Amino acid sequence: MITFQYRVAGIDGDYANLERIDAPEEGYKLVARALLPPEIKEGTKLLYEMLQYSILEEQAQ
């Protein structure tokens, strides 16, 4: 199963620019906000797996 972790780099209307956490050199991926959890904001970390995006919970340190 392919999984990726993204960070919301910016929100522009109905779209969000996502940046891969492990490969920022790949640039931004433009994704419709309808495909993302509604509570996202800039800086939110997302997990992409099985064709769905979910918010990646931060582990307490």
Side-chain angles (χ1 to χ4, degrees), residues 9-60:
I11 296 174
D12 186 18
D14 290 335
Y15 295 91
N17 285 305
L18 305 183
E19 178 182 35
R20 275 215 14 220
I21 293 172
D22 64 332
E25 67 277 357
E26 289 188 9
Y28 296 116
K29 177 179 182 179
L30 190 64
V31 177
R33 290 186 63 192
L35 300 174
L36 302 172
E39 59 272 8
I40 65 161
K41 58 185 178 193
E42 288 187 22
T44 301
K45 292 183 180 177
L46 300 170
L47 177 66
Y48 174 78
E49 64 182 346
M50 297 181 65
L51 303 175
Q52 293 185 341
Y53 293 92
S54 59
I55 293 179
L56 187 61
E57 298 296 328
E58 294 292 325
Q59 294 182 354

